[in-house]
Amino acid sequence: MVVDPSSEQKMVNYQRLLADANELFDLWWLNEELTKLLFSSKQKMAFTDFVRWHQSWEENADLYFASSYLLSYREVLREMTAIVDEEMPYEYYEDQLKTTLWSFVATASGKAWRPTKQSEETVNRTKRWKISAKHIFSLHKLDKDADVKEFFTLLHRLAIVNDVLRGRGKRHGIEYSKHKTDEEKDPVTAFCNQVMRIMDAFAEKNGTIIQTNAKGVAGQYTFQVDADTFRMVMNELRMEHDYCVSEYLQGRDVEGAKQLSLVCPFIGHALSLNIINTKLLQNIDLEPMLQQFYPGKKSIIAKLSFRSGTNEEKKLFRLVEILLKPYRKE
């Protein structure tokens, strides 16, 4: 897919959503929550009650959103069912996801959506879709129903194709069993995936209180690593500056690209900038997570601070600083 980055902000939004597309567009929880909201009353209705109930959809932002979302699902599902073919390669549907996502962030109505991970607490998820509902309802009141329809169509497409790619197509009655097989055939991709997996492992420890004893002085800090921002930057690095990563790898194959001597210095440099992590973070506290990826290695902590001094390393590390700089919190 070729994306024309006509707007820097649109590209930032695109990268952010693409980085966590699996969770951000795993929307089955929304299907269930909106169904429960709209059909919470199970008792039989007289016709006049039904009319009043139906009219209420036009008077309440939450009910309008729920009814529009659920009624538009069936039409999009028919369309998606028609294009999903077991004989088509995984990459075709991956490209469908990227193309649809770009269309979503490039439209005015796409700005209405407040993405949330399906793993978030229910109260937070509900709060965010209701914010989106108010915006969509205002578009409807302004007679911009074409924009509203486009919003729901694109959101359903994203959710369905994302489920197909992640092996969850059966939710929608769609059978597709292929999986991505060549993800790690490219050394640049292998390197980027490895550092992102490690940063994700760090983030699982977020919120943990770490006891310290630096120079004999007892203290503590709260562990925090922003893996989402890091993933977004890594995706930009892989898509827009892959040549720079390739130079850093110096011809290594897929397995070589994931070796300790390349991955740990890169991660150590990113953390040393204190942009995606608490400034109090200590390298020694990263060792348990790193051991999961490099079991038995005794030089892990030292490698986080190691610098080879090559021009290729300096170039890549400087680029990472530039890409991370906009996310520095003053």
Side-chain angles (χ1 to χ4, degrees):
M1 180 196 66
V2 177
V3 173
D4 177 18
S6 57
S7 165
E8 184 176 348
Q9 185 58 50
K10 288 177 183 177
M11 179 56 76
V12 169
N13 291 340
Y14 170 81
Q15 295 283 2
R16 176 174 59 88
L17 294 174
L18 182 62
D20 280 317
N22 181 29
E23 280 209 272
L24 294 177
F25 295 106
D26 183 358
L27 298 180
W28 199 248
W29 64 268
L30 184 61
N31 295 40
E32 295 179 336
E33 184 169 336
L34 296 183
T35 300
K36 184 177 180 180
L37 170 67
L38 201 60
F39 301 100
S40 58
S41 177
K42 295 183 179 180
Q43 71 269 21
K44 294 181 179 180
M45 287 185 180
F47 179 69
T48 54
D49 294 328
F50 173 80
V51 171
R52 283 195 295 270
W53 175 62
H54 191 271
Q55 287 176 338
S56 70
W57 299 0
E58 292 290 324
E59 300 165 359
N60 179 283
D62 293 350
L63 293 178
Y64 174 78
F65 185 90
S67 59
S68 298
Y69 180 93
L70 295 173
L71 291 174
S72 59
Y73 169 77
R74 180 57 56 182
E75 180 181 350
V76 179
L77 179 59
R78 283 197 296 267
E79 170 197 324
M80 296 303 297
T81 301
I83 69 169
V84 175
D85 185 340
E86 186 70 29
E87 298 303 315
M88 295 296 290
Y90 182 98
E91 289 73 21
Y92 172 78
Y93 298 107
E94 192 173 47
D95 196 58
Q96 287 285 315
L97 175 69
K98 293 177 180 178
T99 301
T100 304
L101 180 57
W102 178 250
S103 297
F104 188 70
V105 301
T107 59
S109 58
K111 297 177 182 178
W113 184 239
R114 297 295 181 269
T116 182
K117 294 183 178 181
Q118 59 85 24
S119 56
E120 285 278 341
E121 293 184 5
T122 301
V123 64
N124 293 331
R125 296 188 319 206
T126 300
K127 181 179 180 180
R128 292 180 72 80
W129 78 251
K130 287 191 173 185
I131 293 174
S132 303
K134 290 180 180 178
H135 189 99
I136 291 297
F137 190 60
S138 67
L139 291 177
H140 169 61
K141 289 299 183 181
L142 293 171
D143 292 325
K144 294 187 177 181
D145 287 333
D147 290 343
V148 171
K149 181 178 180 181
E150 182 178 35
F151 169 81
F152 286 115
T153 296
L154 292 173
L155 188 58
H156 283 310
R157 285 177 184 169
L158 285 168
I160 294 172
V161 75
N162 182 54
D163 281 344
V164 168
L165 287 168
R166 309 299 176 177
R168 301 188 294 258
K170 289 184 179 180
R171 288 175 169 177
H172 312 277
I174 298 176
E175 296 286 344
Y176 186 78
S177 59
K178 288 188 177 180
H179 302 283
K180 192 163 187 175
T181 56
D182 62 348
E183 181 178 5
E184 300 287 341
K185 290 184 179 180
D186 170 36
V188 171
T189 299
F191 172 81
C192 292
N193 285 345
Q194 181 77 342
V195 296
M196 287 190 290
R197 281 191 290 262
I198 292 173
M199 203 65 73
D200 285 342
F202 291 165
E204 291 179 5
K205 200 171 183 178
N206 283 350
T208 303
I209 303 299
I210 306 296
Q211 303 296 328
T212 62
N213 192 32
K215 297 182 180 180
V217 179
Q220 66 179 32
Y221 72 92
T222 302
F223 191 96
Q224 190 66 40
V225 170
D226 186 354
D228 290 340
T229 293
F230 182 76
R231 177 174 291 275
M232 183 166 59
V233 168
M234 287 304 301
N235 279 322
E236 182 176 356
L237 186 68
R238 175 170 52 184
M239 294 177 65
E240 305 296 330
H241 309 282
D242 58 328
Y243 62 91
C244 198
V245 179
S246 182
E247 291 173 356
Y248 175 67
L249 299 179
Q250 295 185 329
R252 289 177 174 82
D253 61 12
V254 167
E255 289 305 312
K258 295 186 285 187
Q259 68 186 42
L260 177 72
S261 61
L262 292 173
V263 170
C264 280
F266 181 87
I267 289 176
H269 177 68
L271 295 175
S272 71
L273 301 174
N274 295 322
I275 295 175
I276 59 169
N277 53 279
T278 174
K279 294 181 180 180
L280 298 175
L281 186 143
Q282 303 293 311
N283 283 349
I284 189 65
D285 297 322
L286 303 174
E287 185 170 15
M289 288 78 80
L290 287 168
Q291 284 288 349
Q292 298 174 23
F293 297 87
Y294 302 103
K297 297 293 183 180
K298 298 180 179 180
S299 59
I300 289 179
I301 301 305
K303 286 295 184 183
L304 288 170
S305 303
F306 177 77
R307 301 292 180 269
S308 66
T310 63
N311 290 332
E312 292 80 10
E313 179 188 76
K314 292 177 181 177
K315 183 178 178 181
L316 178 61
F317 285 15
R318 177 55 182 160
L319 177 58
V320 170
E321 291 181 34
I322 293 172
L323 295 177
L324 281 172
K325 187 176 180 180
Y327 302 98
R328 183 181 296 278
K329 298 178 181 178
E330 300 300 335

